[in-house]
Amino acid sequence: MLDTRAFATRKLAALGPKYLPFADVASDTVPLSQLLRLSLFQVTVGMALVLLVGTLNRVMIVELSVPATLVALMLALPLVFAPFRTLIGFKSDVHVSALGLRRVPYIWKGTLYQFGGFAIMPFALLVLSGYGEAVDAPRWIGYGSAALSFLLVGAGVHMVQTVGLALATDLVPEDDQPKVVGLMYVMLLVGMVVSALVFGALLNTYTPGRLIQVIQGCAVTTVVLNMAAMWKQEARNRARAAEMKAAKPMQFSEAWARLVRADGMIRLLVVIGLGTFGFGMADVLLEPYGGQALGLSVASTTKLTALLAFGTLIGFGIASRSLGNGGEPSRFALIGALVGIPGFASIILSSQGMGTALFLSGTFATGLGAGLFGHATLTAVIRAAPKDRIGLALGAWGAVQATAAGIGVALAGITRDVIMIWQGSAGSEAALPYTVVFSVEAVFLILAIAVLAPIARKATHSAAHTEPSSEPVEAV
């Protein structure tokens, strides 16, 4: 019996590095089980993203009849904290505590913010929509409480994700840092897929009471999973705390100046902004588009997020193998943008009589392109970052990405409402506002391609005329 169990254990352990991207980062000192437990913080982040960008935006627009502009602005409120991801990452790099902990205190603070936002959110939404007895409540209470709930969840997500990724890189050697960050993002996508399927099943029959239960369940699950993720991950180091306290602290402005002086960093951040804007505007409109233009149910449109995340997961897996074998990040970012353009074209054509199948394939294609683009730019940032400022670099990547995505979400909702008011009708023209937004996204991907194409050609030419070297190539 013992031999059989030992054999089964070895087989299961062997499956990880073979089928799970980035699982080869595990070692005897940092086993895969520890890394997967740490990645639970990404599961809670994915759960929050699915709930906000996926389920709630559809429910608020369609079931609660909240204007899409207001919904988009609410979903974009976390944008307020996006630029602070860089500062949060830097603070966790240099944080001094009596026990020598740097990352865990910030993860715990972020968890409390998430819990507080989810605790307020369901009742705030009902007041905001004027549902039932809430119709007599002052409107400012609904606006204010809903805004506060989205702000708290957004602040918590930014803090937990930035510092959690930095903690993951602390646990492994420098050469394995891109792999472990990649593993964390794979688990983010897994969390999004699972959460979308669970939310879809729970909300198959929608009621306001069921929505309250789902959001409250997210609040409790977030605290439990994040506590499990943090448990015994960061070693207490009083000597390091004493050294950091005695040393002259580096100012944030100085650390930021060093980061942007890194070769290709500014250009890389511009590319990240263009591509993320191009892929991100659809996040707030895919589910309402499926409901209004194609007549899909709440459960069906919620599962769209799972399909989108699954495509992104496949993109991460492909990029993992190729970049791990010496592939150029700029080339894979270019490929990702190229895949996204026909994806948006398929989504647009699906409402012109081409059917739901084309819509689903287009959703998957945009997820695939986003995965390739996201992993390529993430790898480029890590390669270009100063060795002692990985938290700052990850914060900069997250800040640009989140800011571009937030602006895209807000503009998508505003554009949709303005066009609906202008056309003054729905019915056969219900898809027009969404079509305009999806077309704008394709234009931004073309701009990203225009910036990346000469860089990718230069990288290919250099690789063809240069002997293999152990030195890192230019990031982008």
Side-chain angles (χ1 to χ4, degrees), residues 68-70 72-73 408-420 437:
T69 296
L70 182 57
L73 290 175
V409 164
L411 290 181
I414 294 172
T415 302
R416 180 259 191 193
D417 280 1
V418 168
I419 295 176
M420 287 193 70
V437 173

Side-chain angles (χ1 to χ4, degrees), residues 151-178:
L151 281 172
L152 287 174
V153 173
V157 165
H158 289 311
M159 186 174 292
V160 167
Q161 188 176 58
T162 300
V163 183
L165 292 174
L167 174 58
T169 61
D170 292 342
L171 298 177
V172 298
E174 182 180 341
D175 292 342
D176 290 334
Q177 287 177 350

Side-chain angles (χ1 to χ4, degrees), residues 285 415-416 419-420 423 429-438:
L285 294 183
T415 302
R416 180 259 191 193
I419 295 176
M420 287 193 70
Q423 69 181 14
E429 298 181 356
L432 177 61
Y434 302 97
T435 298
V436 172
V437 173
F438 297 145

Side-chain angles (χ1 to χ4, degrees), residues 18-41:
K18 184 175 181 180
Y19 295 106
L20 182 63
F22 312 99
D24 57 341
V25 73
S27 64
D28 292 337
T29 56
V30 187
L32 183 60
S33 59
Q34 179 181 350
L35 294 175
L36 291 178
R37 180 166 60 84
L38 176 60
S39 70
L40 291 177
F41 79 87

Side-chain angles (χ1 to χ4, degrees), residues 67-85:
T69 296
L70 182 57
V71 173
L73 290 175
M74 288 292 177
L75 295 178
L77 280 175
L79 170 66
V80 173
F81 293 96
F84 292 100
R85 289 181 68 136

Side-chain angles (χ1 to χ4, degrees), residues 443-467:
V443 169
F444 270 86
L445 291 182
I446 292 173
L447 292 176
I449 291 171
V451 176
L452 281 167
I455 303 171
R457 284 196 299 267
K458 180 180 178 181
T460 303
H461 180 77
S462 299
H465 293 83
T466 304
E467 291 295 327

